[in-house]
């Protein structure tokens, strides 16, 4: 999987049409930053939308000018890869509320002329679908050949299939869940408390205050990161390996796993410069995701109008969104006699497995995308 | 698309009403389901545990759900009587409890079609009685220690189980592995048939 798309450049779509949000708030205008790879064919029927995960963004494959690190799903998107950019037109947009270019809490509020901060309205998966639908129209795509996403992105895919049933032919839902469990929400809440109780948070106005709640954000990321890994994999990778050659009996870092988590957390908060308010918003969007809630808490009913064909994928060691959660999704789709395939991929990498190379995963992904490509070609 | 079909699969296709809903347990690479889709316009799903076979089935455009027939997958995914035919070819003998699986198949499916290698075939009998060794044949090409076939049975055994479980045999047939059906196989199926095909359903319970 060495083929790369090469250098890619983000674009921005500015939308003046106000966006009515699920929360009741109105976003008067907004920007969506997105990247595209490959060519939209003459019939405009080979377009694939990628939905990103909590800390992801629109830079899904290829390289930005002058960068050495490719997009976050470069292993699976590119010429000859499962999502084959020689055949498909790939679109990925940055979600509203993010800190990577689309309008979010670090943007200027046009009503006040000040940075939004925590005044940025709470956004949900449905709001993201509605904003991406505007991008779809802008790009001249009547119907997506497929919408693909992992983790939070997988939830967004389901929301698309529920809200806009005739706007996609295939839905690929990877390492997702039909809603968060109490434990999932609890982890998110601890992460939010870590951020909001950081003295540098300044009630979300840290940019104006010239501070950065990096301690809180680091803790939040350490906690999140922990839930992405499996116990087995941490055992294999770190075990009880020490940082130094002997125990110091102090509160300094003793074990390698402590050092690794601190490094990951600090990198996220400083080098990657993730916005603390965005972290709060994204975890909230996850908590609120529950498409069955509007249908008497019956997930099968939620998919009653859905037309898309589905591929659902889970990973054996993922305990954040375990295979059992994906099987709930499959069951609800089967209840509606929808076309669905399901793969449970053997992996020791926990939730993170959806981003990593794995021959079974790649085989399934490639085979299913082959079907997507064949069907698009025969339309 | 040309598909090389065994007579077993052709017979199964003859037993299926067009446009019905089908579940194929242990669907392998999806050859049978693909054939039924093409020739019988069925809708349906394959269930298969093996990752490579899942990939092959998916390449044929089959809906395949990776599942373990020894677990509770069948009941998890499907309601009673929600499927017209639950098919299982050459897999009954590899599951941990064929009797329970058969019961489940007939709870979810209105009818079931089952095929299995006949352990009563004369070659098996001859190898065991004359050579005193566990049989190894073209239908069962394994050693006793590495065979996945842990619950082999004969036609008679299977029909006894059906009787005991109040299961009605709607149709039955036999084929050999040379893709033939002979008069002898019709007369002495348990001796000359290598592969058994059964179409069964539950008897109405109010007769009990």
């Amino acid at each position: 999987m060495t083929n790369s798309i090469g250098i890619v450049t983000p674009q921005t779509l500015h939308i003046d049409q106000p966006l009515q949000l699920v929360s009741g708030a109105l976003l008067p205008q907004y920007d969506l930053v997105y990247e595209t790879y490959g060519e939209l064919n003459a019939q405009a029927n080979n377009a694939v939308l990628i939905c990103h995960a909590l800390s992801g963004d629109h830079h899904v494959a290829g390289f930005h000018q002058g960068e050495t690190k490719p997009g976050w799903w470069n292993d699976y998107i590119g010429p000859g890869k499962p999502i084959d950019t020689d055949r498909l037109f790939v679109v990925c947009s940055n979600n509203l509320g993010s800190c990577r270019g689309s309008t979010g809490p670090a943007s200027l509020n046009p009503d006040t002329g000040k940075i939004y901060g925590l005044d940025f309205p709470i956004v949900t998966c449905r709001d993201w679908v509605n904003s991406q639908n505007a991008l779809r129209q802008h790009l001249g795509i009547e119907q997506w050949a497929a919408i693909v996403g992992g983790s939070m992105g997988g939830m967004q895919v389901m929301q698309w299939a529920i809200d806009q049933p005739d706007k996609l032919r295939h839905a690929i839902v990877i390492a997702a869940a039909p809603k968060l469990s109490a434990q999932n929400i609890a982890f998110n809440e601890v992460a939010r408390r870590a951020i909001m109780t950081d003295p540098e948070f300044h009630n979300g106005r840290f940019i104006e205050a010239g501070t950065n709640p990096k301690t809180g954000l680091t803790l939040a990321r350490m906690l999140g990161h922990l839930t992405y890994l499996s116990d087995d994999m941490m055992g294999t990778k770190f075990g009880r390996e020490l940082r130094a050659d002997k125990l110091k009996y102090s509160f300094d870092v003793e074990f390698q796993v402590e050092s690794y988590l601190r490094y990951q957390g600090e990198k996220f908060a400083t080098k990657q410069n993730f916005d603390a308010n965005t972290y709060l918003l994204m975890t909230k969007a996850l908590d609120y995701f529950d498409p069955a809630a509007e249908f008497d808490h019956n997930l099968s009913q939620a998919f009653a109008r859905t037309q898309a064909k589905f591929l659902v994928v889970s990973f054996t060691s993922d305990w954040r969104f375990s295979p059992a959660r994906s099987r709930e999704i499959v069951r609800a789709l089967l209840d509606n006699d929808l076309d669905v395939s399901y793969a449970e991929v053997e992996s020791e990498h926990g939730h993170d497995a959806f981003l990593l190379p794995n021959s079974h995963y790649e085989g399934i992904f490639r085979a299913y995308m082959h079907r997507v490509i064949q069907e698009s070609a025969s339309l | 698309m040309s598909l090389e079909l065994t007579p077993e699969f052709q017979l199964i296709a003859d037993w299926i009403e067009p446009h019905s809903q089908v579940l194929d347990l242990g669907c392998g690479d999806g050859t049978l389901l693909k054939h039924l889709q093409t020739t019988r316009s069925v809708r349906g799903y394959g269930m298969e545990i093996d990752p490579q076979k899942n990939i092959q089935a998916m390449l044929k455009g089959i809906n395949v759900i990776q599942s373990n027939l020894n677990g509770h997958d069948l009941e998890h995914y499907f309601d009673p009587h929600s499927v017209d035919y639950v098919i299982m070819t050459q897999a009954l003998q590899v599951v941990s409890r064929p009797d329970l699986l058969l019961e489940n198949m007939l709870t979810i499916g209105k009818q079931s079609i089952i095929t299995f290698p006949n352990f009563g075939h004369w070659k098996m009998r001859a190898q065991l009685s004359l050579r005193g060794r566990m049989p190894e044949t073209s239908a069962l090409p394994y050693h006793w220690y590495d065979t996945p076939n842990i619950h082999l049975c004969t036609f008679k055994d299977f029909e006894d189980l059906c009787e005991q479980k109040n299961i009605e045999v709607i149709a039955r047939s036999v084929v050999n592995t040379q893709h033939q059906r002979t008069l002898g196989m019709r007369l002495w199926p348990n001796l000359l048939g290598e592969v058994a095909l059964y179409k069964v359903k539950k008897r109405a319970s109010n007769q009990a």
Side-chain angles (χ1 to χ4, degrees):
Chain A
M1 291 200 284
T2 50
N3 290 350
S4 169
I5 302 167
I7 303 297
V8 298
T9 312
Q11 302 171 68
T12 303
L13 174 66
H14 179 76
I15 296 172
D16 274 322
Q17 183 83 19
L19 185 67
Q20 177 64 58
L21 303 173
V22 168
S23 69
L26 197 72
L27 203 57
Q29 50 174 289
Y30 58 98
D31 286 346
L32 283 185
V33 171
Y34 64 99
E35 288 181 5
T36 71
Y37 323 120
E39 300 276 328
L40 186 63
N41 63 15
Q43 304 86 349
N45 65 16
N46 68 334
V48 171
L49 177 69
I50 311 291
C51 298
H52 67 71
L54 190 149
S55 60
D57 57 30
H58 51 284
H59 182 36
V60 65
F63 296 84
H64 284 166
Q65 191 72 50
E67 298 269 328
T68 52
K69 203 170 163 282
W72 55 269
W73 227 4
N74 196 56
D75 283 336
Y76 291 96
I77 299 175
K81 292 179 183 179
I83 298 183
D84 188 350
T85 50
D86 286 340
R87 310 290 300 274
L88 298 163
F89 177 65
V90 179
V91 180
C92 184
S93 69
N94 186 215
N95 283 341
L96 283 177
S98 177
C99 52
R100 300 297 190 216
S102 290
T103 301
S107 309
L108 282 182
N109 181 345
D111 291 344
T112 62
K114 293 199 300 187
I115 291 168
Y116 271 113
L118 280 192
D119 292 338
F120 192 83
I122 296 267
V123 279
T124 66
C125 272
R126 173 164 289 162
D127 299 322
W128 291 331
V129 168
N130 289 336
S131 63
Q132 286 178 319
N133 204 30
L135 176 62
R136 178 189 64 77
Q137 286 163 326
H138 168 76
L139 294 170
I141 296 158
E142 184 52 38
Q143 189 183 51
W144 301 101
I147 305 185
V148 187
S151 191
M152 186 179 89
M155 296 172 174
Q156 208 166 318
V157 175
M158 284 186 269
Q159 193 76 55
W160 260 102
I162 291 166
D163 288 356
Q164 305 283 344
D166 58 341
K167 294 291 180 275
L168 68 158
R169 290 192 293 280
H170 291 271
I172 301 180
V173 176
I174 302 167
K179 61 176 183 241
L180 264 58
S181 67
Q183 188 193 45
N184 294 146
I185 294 172
F187 274 116
N188 282 347
E189 174 59 6
V190 176
R192 286 190 294 264
R193 293 313 297 159
I195 292 169
M196 296 176 87
T197 55
D198 185 325
E200 300 207 349
F201 182 63
H202 295 288
N203 208 23
R205 304 230 148 262
F206 46 87
I207 297 175
E208 287 109 314
T211 62
N212 179 13
K214 60 177 182 295
T215 310
L217 187 56
T218 297
L219 284 174
R221 182 60 173 180
M222 285 170 75
L223 185 71
H225 204 82
L226 194 54
T227 69
Y228 304 151
L229 306 177
S230 73
D231 189 19
D232 279 353
M233 188 257 155
M234 287 174 90
T236 313
K237 193 167 176 178
F238 306 107
R240 293 179 55 84
E241 200 180 316
L242 298 178
R243 190 86 195 290
D245 46 8
K246 61 179 174 34
L247 291 172
K248 288 178 284 187
Y249 295 97
S250 78
F251 290 103
D252 287 347
V253 166
E254 289 270 35
F255 295 97
Q256 284 292 8
V257 65
E258 298 171 287
S259 160
Y260 170 80
L261 271 186
R262 285 192 192 188
Y263 170 77
Q264 290 295 336
E266 278 161 21
K267 183 175 78 169
F268 185 68
T270 54
K271 192 166 156 242
Q272 294 174 346
N273 200 24
F274 203 86
D275 184 272
N277 287 327
T278 288
Y279 203 88
L280 298 177
L281 277 170
M282 296 291 149
T283 57
K284 269 295 185 191
L286 276 167
D287 290 0
Y288 289 127
F289 178 76
D290 183 7
E294 293 170 72
F295 299 88
D296 265 344
H297 298 279
N298 180 331
L299 188 64
S300 302
Q301 281 298 312
F303 286 116
R305 287 173 56 240
T306 294
Q307 299 169 19
K309 298 170 181 173
F310 277 74
L311 169 65
V312 179
V313 181
S314 70
F315 299 90
T316 50
S317 58
D318 184 354
W319 57 278
R320 183 187 173 91
F321 298 140
S322 71
R325 310 307 311 280
S326 284
R327 288 156 48 98
E328 290 174 43
I329 299 167
V330 173
R331 164 76 210 214
L333 297 168
L334 287 171
D335 281 341
N336 289 289
D337 290 339
L338 289 164
D339 279 307
V340 50
S341 289
Y342 171 59
E344 202 165 299
V345 175
E346 188 80 37
S347 167
E348 58 162 10
H349 291 285
H351 188 61
D352 261 353
F354 87 92
L355 296 165
L356 301 171
N358 174 307
S359 62
H360 177 199
Y361 178 31
E362 196 206 326
I364 289 285
F365 210 163
R366 191 180 286 279
Y368 197 85
M369 289 311 297
H370 175 75
R371 176 174 174 180
V372 171
I373 291 167
Q374 298 287 102
E375 285 188 19
S376 298
S378 66
L379 283 180
Chain B
M1 182 184 289
S2 79
L3 289 166
E4 248 186 64
L5 272 190
T6 61
E8 179 186 343
F9 285 2
Q10 282 163 3
L11 276 170
I12 292 171
D14 291 343
W15 282 352
I16 300 258
E17 290 287 326
H19 305 289
S20 49
Q21 174 107 1
V22 168
L23 191 57
D24 185 1
L25 308 187
C27 69
D29 66 3
T31 302
L32 175 62
L33 258 183
K34 183 75 195 177
H35 177 67
L36 295 177
Q37 273 180 9
T38 317
T39 61
R40 285 280 180 266
S41 307
V42 303
R43 285 186 38 76
Y45 307 94
M47 293 175 93
E48 173 59 55
I49 193 167
D50 183 85
Q52 286 313 313
K53 289 177 181 165
N54 270 270
I55 293 170
Q56 289 161 6
M58 223 174 261
L59 279 170
K60 291 192 172 79
I62 298 294
N63 295 318
V64 57
I65 296 162
Q66 194 182 358
S67 6
N68 182 354
L69 298 179
N70 289 327
H72 298 284
D73 284 355
L74 211 49
E75 308 99 282
H76 170 79
Y77 288 125
F78 297 96
D79 282 331
H81 308 294
S82 60
V83 177
D84 295 319
Y85 303 96
V86 180
I87 304 174
M88 192 164 63
T89 58
Q90 309 270 349
L92 191 71
Q93 74 280 4
V94 305
V95 300
S96 62
R97 285 295 298 271
D99 55 334
L100 301 181
L101 184 59
L102 187 62
E103 190 120 319
N104 267 333
M105 288 169 70
L106 284 170
T107 303
I108 285 148
K110 293 166 195 158
Q111 299 187 354
S112 276
I113 295 171
I114 293 147
T115 78
F116 57 86
N118 174 29
F119 208 68
H121 186 261
W122 69 269
K123 281 185 194 164
M124 312 283 176
R125 301 190 199 197
Q127 288 191 41
L128 195 59
S129 65
L130 301 178
R131 294 175 57 212
R133 290 185 183 281
M134 281 300 282
E136 289 170 23
T137 69
S138 52
L140 291 168
Y142 297 98
H143 306 105
W144 64 271
Y145 50 83
D146 62 8
T147 181
N149 304 312
I150 54 175
H151 286 118
L152 289 159
C153 67
T154 71
F155 290 15
K156 285 185 180 173
D157 293 328
F158 181 75
E159 290 187 12
D160 283 353
L161 178 66
C162 289
E163 195 52 42
Q164 193 189 319
K165 291 208 167 278
N166 211 20
I167 292 166
E168 180 187 339
V169 175
I170 306 166
R172 71 172 194 187
S173 189
V174 294
V175 291
N176 67 14
T177 51
Q178 268 70 54
H179 298 203
Q180 295 158 341
R181 296 171 72 194
T182 64
L183 178 66
M185 283 157 59
R186 276 211 292 279
L187 292 174
W188 302 286
N190 201 29
L191 195 62
L192 298 180
E194 286 192 285
V195 177
L197 292 87
Y198 279 90
K199 187 182 191 184
V200 295
K201 69 172 186 184
K202 263 190 185 161
R203 286 204 185 93
S205 55
N206 56 9
Q207 291 174 357

